[in-house]
Amino acid sequence: MLAALLRFNFLGGLYMSFLSHLISGVSLGSIYAIIALGYTMVYGIAKMLNFAHGDVIMVGAYVCFFAVSRYDMPVIPSVLLAVAACTALGVFIERLAYKPLRSAPSLAVLITAIGMSYFLQNSAQLLWTSNPKVFSSVVGNGSVKFFDGRLSISYNVIVTVLACIIIMSVLTWFTGRTKMGKAMRACSEDKDAAQLMGINVNATISMTFAIGSALAAVAGVLLCSVYPTLMPTTGSMPGIKAFTAAVFGGIGSIPGALLGGTLLGVIEIFAKAYISTQLSDAIVFLVLIIVLLVKPAGLLGKQVQEKV
Amino acid sequence: MFERGQKTKLAPLPATIFVPERDVDKQPILEAHNLGIDFGGLTALDGFNFAVSPTEIAGLIGPNGAGKTTVFSLLSKVYQPTRGAILLNGRDTMGMSTVQVNRAGIARTFQNIRLFNNLTVEDNVKLGLHNHIKYGMLSGILRTPNYWKQEKSAAMRVKELLSIFNMEHMVGKRAGSLPYGAQRRLEIIRALATGPKVLLLDEPAAGMNPSETDELMENIVKVRDTFQIAIVLIEHDMNLVMGICEGICVLNFGKIIAKGAPGDIQNNPLVIEAYLGRQKKDGQHAES
């Protein structure tokens, strides 16, 4: 009798820890998904990889950090300020660095993007030094308890997942049902034909950068609420992971970014919890390699036939 | 040469190829003055003088590689001309971008169909209406009453436009899944949705069988009558060209070799030598 109870408790504990890992995986994955959207939308429309995207996240987090801690602004206006700053930054980067290369070989654009990434990191280092700042969560550190306190879900997790769901549904609506969204899809299919239909391709690309960068700011704030160390290099690893997530789900596809991001987050947390903390990143990328071997276009990506 | 956007008074053009009686008193809607373009050292088009009256159906013919599609690309500002000027409704289009010239009233279709294949028929036409649907990004996200109103009237306009070619039932289909003929018709509808004054059709009958071509001829005339616009078409199908075009312009090696009404063109020895003679011999009209 006693043995059976113990066993039940033991199994229950295992189940609860599994559940809590799953939840934090989904939460981390939601952040990856929000960042991945920026990569995937820009790739879909401008056919370029914006490697500076990860650093836009970092800038967003810094803006929010300073607004809250130095200027004592309330949380919501600070987040909005970060969003506005990143939107402007994204459009500025596009105008300055990528627009002049619209017809350049894709390799030149890629190198420019990498350069832009280092430029942002080093500017941040100059402006804000490389000393880590401690970011305090924008949603507080409380949590909701379930099952007599055996499972606790922090506010961070709830807000992150909710934000991801809201962003995904708004974006799906936006790209599917509004004229700007349709213009984006048209540009991603055939820029010249879109232009001849009176659609301003440059404005559409700028808008895509604006949306992606606004989302990056949200992701930056959410990310630093969970992992509070803020440094000029904070954005680079999540940036690369989110890029992986975008490729994983099928780059160019919005649902693909959601699926890829969530799966990547869950795999990462499970690998950390059950296999090895040090190896977790290696495992994540191993899964990516296996998926790409089986489905080269990613999980939801369309197989593109090369034009001959 | 001409101030952009300004009304320019020019002497009546000898270039006017044929003015239908109903358009006699009207200024041409589209004029090309001494238009030319070089690609590197190659002169693709030179001394191109041409005018289209407001409700004319004009034909642009010539052997493969004569520069016909180049003319369309110049008119729709895909290329900027090296020499000469294009006047739309008397206004110079110099320096305008593709988007601006489209807003000013030139729309085109493509030799090889370029629909947005992954979008629905409705969305393709709505993209043509893009500049006529007026709401901002925020009202699109927040779904304000203006958004619903605009989208609703756009959807009705799409139905109206599709009904010209009896395609209303295809509204929800993916454009890429339509049969070939329907794709060609949809491309014309999409171009019409932009509200053009001049519609450029690049080989509208390519790949069509004779009965489809007959239907297309009726449709082109119907479009002109309904919308009261000028239509310029490039075509290799002589039945179509001679059947519906009121004025014809023949290009060879980037130069105009003949202009006039269908009857004159058919009997012009230069044309027969450059084009029709060859056309009869091999009977092929595939263009790369």
Side-chain angles (χ1 to χ4, degrees):
Chain A
M1 183 74 189
L2 195 72
L5 256 177
L6 270 176
R7 223 179 110 175
F8 173 73
N9 253 340
F10 172 69
L11 275 180
L14 255 185
Y15 177 66
M16 283 305 156
S17 76
F18 174 82
L19 209 59
S20 94
H21 289 319
L22 183 67
I23 289 166
S24 48
V26 169
S27 156
L28 179 64
S30 301
I31 298 177
Y32 286 157
I34 298 171
I35 308 171
L37 278 174
Y39 280 108
T40 223
M41 285 168 69
V42 165
Y43 181 82
I45 286 142
K47 296 283 174 285
M48 64 158 291
L49 296 171
N50 178 21
F51 276 117
H53 191 62
D55 302 287
V56 176
I57 299 167
M58 172 270 296
V59 173
Y62 266 106
V63 171
C64 184
F65 171 79
F66 283 116
V68 171
S69 66
R70 193 157 297 171
Y71 301 103
D72 289 323
M73 277 169 68
V75 167
I76 290 172
S78 332
V79 176
L80 290 179
L81 182 69
V83 169
C86 283
T87 307
L89 180 68
V91 174
F92 178 70
I93 291 174
E94 197 269 329
R95 279 283 149 81
L96 186 79
Y98 305 145
K99 198 179 166 192
L101 298 176
R102 199 57 47 82
S103 51
S106 55
L107 206 55
V109 186
L110 186 74
I111 306 281
T112 311
I114 294 171
M116 188 42 86
S117 161
Y118 278 104
F119 174 76
L120 288 178
Q121 272 181 36
N122 287 303
S123 308
Q125 212 162 50
L126 268 177
L127 278 172
W128 304 313
T129 75
S130 51
N131 294 332
K133 306 259 187 302
V134 182
F135 193 96
S136 53
S137 169
V138 287
V139 283
N141 288 321
S143 61
V144 189
K145 301 224 176 342
F146 295 95
F147 305 113
D148 309 327
R150 280 187 295 168
L151 178 72
S152 70
I153 303 177
S154 72
Y155 292 153
N156 276 328
V157 168
I158 295 170
V159 169
T160 306
V161 174
L162 273 181
C164 181
I165 292 169
I166 292 169
I167 287 170
M168 283 296 164
S169 32
V170 169
L171 260 188
T172 308
W173 167 273
F174 186 74
T175 52
R177 300 289 192 85
T178 67
K179 67 168 201 162
M180 301 84 179
K182 282 170 196 163
M184 282 165 68
R185 282 155 68 208
C187 288
S188 98
E189 264 195 59
D190 189 336
K191 280 191 197 55
D192 296 328
Q195 216 152 20
L196 288 161
M197 293 303 119
I199 292 162
N200 190 337
V201 172
N202 279 328
T204 308
I205 292 178
S206 289
M207 189 179 69
T208 312
F209 269 86
I211 294 173
S213 307
L215 297 182
V218 175
V221 171
L222 293 172
L223 181 79
C224 288
S225 296
V226 185
Y227 302 96
T229 321
L230 178 56
M231 286 189 295
T233 52
T234 293
S236 60
M237 199 56 195
I240 289 174
K241 293 257 184 67
F243 169 62
T244 312
V247 175
F248 193 39
I251 196 150
S253 145
I254 289 177
L258 177 66
L259 183 68
T262 315
L263 280 180
L264 202 79
V266 171
I267 293 168
E268 185 179 329
I269 296 289
F270 278 165
K272 268 189 184 142
Y274 295 116
I275 303 172
S276 150
T277 314
Q278 282 90 9
L279 281 180
S280 68
D281 285 350
I283 292 164
V284 166
F285 288 106
L286 185 72
V287 172
L288 172 81
I289 291 168
I290 293 167
V291 167
L292 290 188
L293 281 176
V294 182
K295 287 205 71 166
L299 291 172
L300 299 182
K302 286 207 185 70
Q303 213 70 39
V304 185
Q305 239 126 38
E306 257 332 286
K307 272 187 200 146
V308 194
Chain B
M1 189 169 172
F2 305 109
E3 280 296 310
R4 177 175 154 197
Q6 296 236 318
K7 282 263 182 191
T8 316
K9 272 272 172 225
L10 284 163
L13 264 183
T16 306
I17 44 180
F18 182 84
V19 182
E21 227 163 278
R22 58 183 181 279
D23 286 342
V24 164
D25 302 330
K26 293 176 190 149
Q27 225 204 342
I29 185 81
L30 183 71
E31 295 162 74
H33 289 264
N34 205 19
L35 200 62
I37 185 169
D38 301 338
F39 295 111
L42 180 87
T43 301
L45 188 74
D46 197 30
F48 185 79
N49 281 308
F50 181 68
V52 184
S53 53
T55 60
E56 182 183 343
I57 298 180
L60 195 56
I61 63 173
N64 291 343
K68 304 181 295 294
T69 300
T70 307
V71 170
F72 271 20
S73 296
L74 285 167
L75 293 177
S76 56
K77 292 286 169 183
V78 173
Y79 304 139
Q80 297 292 342
T82 317
R83 291 173 295 281
I86 300 160
L87 272 67
L88 178 65
N89 208 6
R91 284 166 209 275
D92 194 4
T93 60
M94 172 112 135
M96 281 191 185
S97 68
T98 310
V99 175
Q100 287 168 325
V101 88
N102 174 274
R103 284 181 198 173
I106 295 183
R108 72 176 282 186
T109 65
F110 299 90
Q111 200 169 316
N112 33 8
I113 305 172
R114 286 171 79 174
L115 288 166
F116 305 116
N117 285 328
N118 293 323
L119 270 63
T120 60
V121 168
E122 181 175 20
D123 286 350
N124 267 280
V125 184
K126 271 192 182 166
L127 279 160
L129 290 168
H130 188 80
N131 290 320
H132 303 277
I133 307 175
K134 296 205 175 348
Y135 59 82
M137 195 168 158
L138 213 61
S139 82
I141 294 174
L142 300 175
R143 303 173 212 178
T144 57
N146 183 40
Y147 163 81
W148 290 110
K149 207 182 100 197
Q150 293 277 341
E151 282 289 329
K152 206 176 157 191
S153 72
M156 275 168 65
R157 185 94 186 97
V158 169
K159 281 237 168 80
E160 264 173 53
L161 284 162
L162 286 172
S163 70
I164 316 170
F165 292 168
N166 300 318
M167 287 174 67
E168 305 100 308
H169 58 286
M170 296 178 172
V171 78
K173 287 206 174 124
R174 213 171 55 80
S177 72
L178 296 185
Y180 182 81
Q183 291 196 10
R184 283 240 169 246
R185 289 199 293 274
L186 178 59
E187 226 194 1
I188 297 176
I189 292 174
R190 185 180 64 173
L192 278 172
T194 65
K197 297 189 182 81
V198 182
L199 179 62
L200 312 175
L201 303 177
D202 199 345
E203 294 195 30
M208 286 188 172
N209 63 35
S211 77
E212 282 174 320
T213 308
D214 286 346
E215 200 191 323
L216 178 73
M217 284 163 69
E218 281 167 33
N219 282 333
I220 292 175
V221 175
K222 190 172 159 193
V223 163
R224 192 269 315 270
D225 293 343
T226 321
F227 292 86
Q228 289 293 308
I229 55 174
I231 296 175
V232 184
L233 52 92
I234 293 177
E235 190 46 71
H236 286 290
D237 188 315
M238 282 307 129
N239 282 331
L240 187 147
V241 175
M242 298 302 164
I244 60 171
C245 290
E246 292 154 303
I248 296 171
C249 175
V250 190
L251 273 177
N252 198 15
F253 297 115
K255 285 204 163 74
I256 294 177
I257 56 168
K259 272 193 285 201
D264 307 335
I265 297 294
Q266 269 168 321
N267 301 322
N268 187 318
L270 267 176
V271 177
I272 293 167
E273 188 194 318
Y275 187 81
L276 293 176
R278 201 185 303 173
Q279 174 80 11
K280 270 188 186 148
K281 238 182 247 163
D282 59 29
Q284 295 257 322
H285 49 68
E287 183 152 330
S288 54

